[in-house]
Amino acid sequence: MRAIVLMLAANLLLFSYGSTAAPRVQVVGLFPGAAVLTVDGQRKLVRVGQVGPGGVEVLSADSKGAVLRVEGIERQYGLSRELSAGFAEPERRQLSIAQGQGGHYWVAGSINGQPVQFLVDTGATSVAVSEIQARRLGIDYRVDGRQMVVNTASGTAKAWRVQLNSVKVGTIDVLGVEAVVVEGAAPSEALLGMSFLGRVSWREDQGVLKLESKI
């Protein structure tokens, strides 16, 4: 009898291992060389050649889609905003910023997990930081960035276009944000430009800037 019980227990154990459900994988953001993955509810920016949540590997990625290796199987994934069955829609995160001195909006946040003071600038096409700030934040812009020239209040300046892992203000965290590193000490404060603002919902209402996450 004991031998029969042990055999049944072993068979049940084998069945439990063999019937493990495949991870629910979605691509909710696409960038050249990187994708934002949601795997069983966990969201992360994963670059090509890296392994993300659930052991999912990104083999290639561009604006049209990503090729992922999931449990040893390669598959093409398109951009998806839909949620897998069994998952509740995530709560939209909100932040209200009161207008400060000079009619500007200032807000504390972070870049790649490092604290930053932002000046909201809807006229800036990208998040922008100075060369000095980039060094403090550990951004290897000379290696990872693409050199370019930007127009500033003082004229033209050398700059580098980079991609940040994350930009966060309040509880709103956006992954894979394009940014510009400007040579020299300007801007003195990081500019929260449209590469971030275009990824959230925002509006001004009687001296208050209201931000809301889209996903």
Side-chain angles (χ1 to χ4, degrees):
M1 176 63 74
R2 183 178 176 183
I4 295 174
V5 171
L6 289 174
M7 287 178 64
L8 287 172
N11 287 336
L12 286 172
L13 185 60
L14 287 171
F15 177 78
S16 66
Y17 277 115
S19 60
T20 302
R24 292 183 173 89
V25 180
Q26 289 181 293
V27 175
V28 296
L30 287 169
F31 308 94
V36 180
L37 308 181
T38 296
V39 182
D40 289 340
Q42 185 178 355
R43 188 164 68 109
K44 185 177 180 180
L45 174 73
V46 184
R47 301 186 186 280
V48 169
Q50 294 181 341
V51 176
V56 176
E57 182 181 359
V58 178
L59 302 178
S60 67
D62 56 28
S63 61
K64 297 178 181 178
V67 176
L68 310 180
R69 181 180 287 126
V70 182
E71 295 188 329
I73 299 174
E74 297 181 14
R75 180 182 167 190
Q76 177 79 32
Y77 286 76
L79 185 64
S80 173
R81 297 277 180 191
E82 298 178 359
L83 297 166
S84 298
F87 285 88
E89 183 176 354
E91 181 181 355
R92 291 179 182 268
R93 302 181 183 275
Q94 299 177 334
L95 177 67
S96 295
I97 307 169
Q99 196 173 67
Q101 192 172 25
H104 299 298
Y105 293 102
W106 301 87
V107 60
S110 67
I111 291 177
N112 295 349
Q114 300 296 317
V116 171
Q117 183 72 19
F118 284 110
L119 169 63
V120 179
D121 187 351
T122 58
T125 57
S126 299
V127 170
V129 298
S130 69
E131 193 174 21
I132 294 173
Q133 290 172 318
R135 291 193 189 118
R136 179 181 70 80
L137 294 168
I139 301 172
D140 198 357
Y141 57 94
R142 290 185 181 272
V143 174
D144 299 331
R146 300 195 307 271
Q147 193 169 323
M148 58 185 298
V149 175
V150 295
N151 294 315
T152 69
S154 304
T156 60
K158 185 190 297 184
W160 293 263
R161 189 180 304 279
V162 298
Q163 188 177 83
L164 305 175
N165 290 334
S166 71
V167 174
K168 185 175 183 180
V169 291
T171 59
I172 301 175
D173 192 5
V174 178
L175 306 180
V177 179
E178 185 179 273
V180 171
V181 176
V182 183
E183 186 178 43
S188 57
E189 303 289 349
L191 302 182
L192 193 65
M194 292 305 298
S195 60
F196 176 89
L197 296 174
R199 304 268 300 279
V200 303
S201 298
W202 62 275
R203 64 187 176 90
E204 290 184 84
D205 184 11
Q206 298 181 354
V208 176
L209 181 65
K210 298 183 178 182
L211 306 180
E212 182 179 64
S213 63
K214 289 185 177 179
I215 58 172

